[in-house]
Amino acid sequence: MVKPASILKIVPALAILVGFGTAVALAGPIEDRQAGMKQVGKAMGGFAAIMKGEAPYDAAVVKTNSASMLEGWKKAFANFTPGSEKGPPETYAKAEIWSDPEGFKAAEDTALKALDAMAATTDEAGFKTALAGLGDACKGCHTKYRRPKE
């Protein structure tokens, strides 16, 4: 038998969980893809630290950051859905994403291949080469499919 005092403890906890679930459910594709790209940026920051000599090359760190970047990209790329071309919130996605889906998919594939090369590095020289390829893939997609922030 459930005691009334126990119910008084459970009800507020359930209300908080329901509220959190509602907040998560209210996030839309623009917010989800922006969150994914922020995750990508954070992982790229770890690569930049190695490139600048602020951190030593460490294959385990590169693999961890690559996995985080992949997770972020999967979230981002899955949320360029029809109807999410305009916000709110503000989006920097260009119309070409939806008018040129084959090109956008090719840019995604290029980025994922570059990320695979990054994750496979085993030394600093290979890392630097892979980072250049990854940077080119990011730039290529952003140039064609992302408008600059004003």
Side-chain angles (χ1 to χ4, degrees):
M1 177 152 195
V2 177
K3 297 179 182 177
S6 295
I7 291 174
L8 291 176
K9 292 177 185 175
I10 294 172
V11 170
L14 288 174
I16 289 169
L17 289 174
V18 168
F20 176 73
T22 302
V24 169
L26 292 178
I30 295 171
E31 295 92 345
D32 289 344
R33 69 182 179 238
Q34 288 175 346
M37 292 308 288
K38 284 180 183 174
Q39 184 172 344
V40 168
K42 185 176 179 182
M44 187 61 95
F47 296 152
I50 295 170
M51 187 67 174
K52 292 177 187 176
E54 296 168 358
Y57 173 81
D58 182 336
V61 169
V62 171
K63 286 188 187 334
T64 298
N65 283 15
S66 296
S68 180
M69 187 175 273
L70 178 61
E71 182 182 309
W73 266 342
K74 284 182 178 181
K75 182 187 295 184
F77 286 129
N79 280 288
F80 286 101
T81 55
S84 68
E85 296 91 335
K86 296 185 189 288
E90 184 169 11
T91 178
Y92 300 96
K94 288 183 176 178
E96 286 84 348
I97 291 170
W98 293 274
S99 67
D100 180 21
E102 295 84 15
F104 186 63
K105 177 66 173 132
E108 176 185 356
D109 291 344
T110 298
L112 293 173
K113 286 178 188 171
L115 185 58
D116 284 344
M118 175 60 76
T121 65
T122 57
D123 61 23
E124 191 169 351
F127 166 81
K128 288 181 178 182
T129 300
L131 185 59
L134 185 58
D136 288 345
C138 291
K139 182 180 180 194
C141 192
H142 279 206
T143 298
K144 188 166 184 182
Y145 298 107
R146 182 181 186 267
R147 70 177 176 83
K149 292 184 179 181
E150 298 165 358

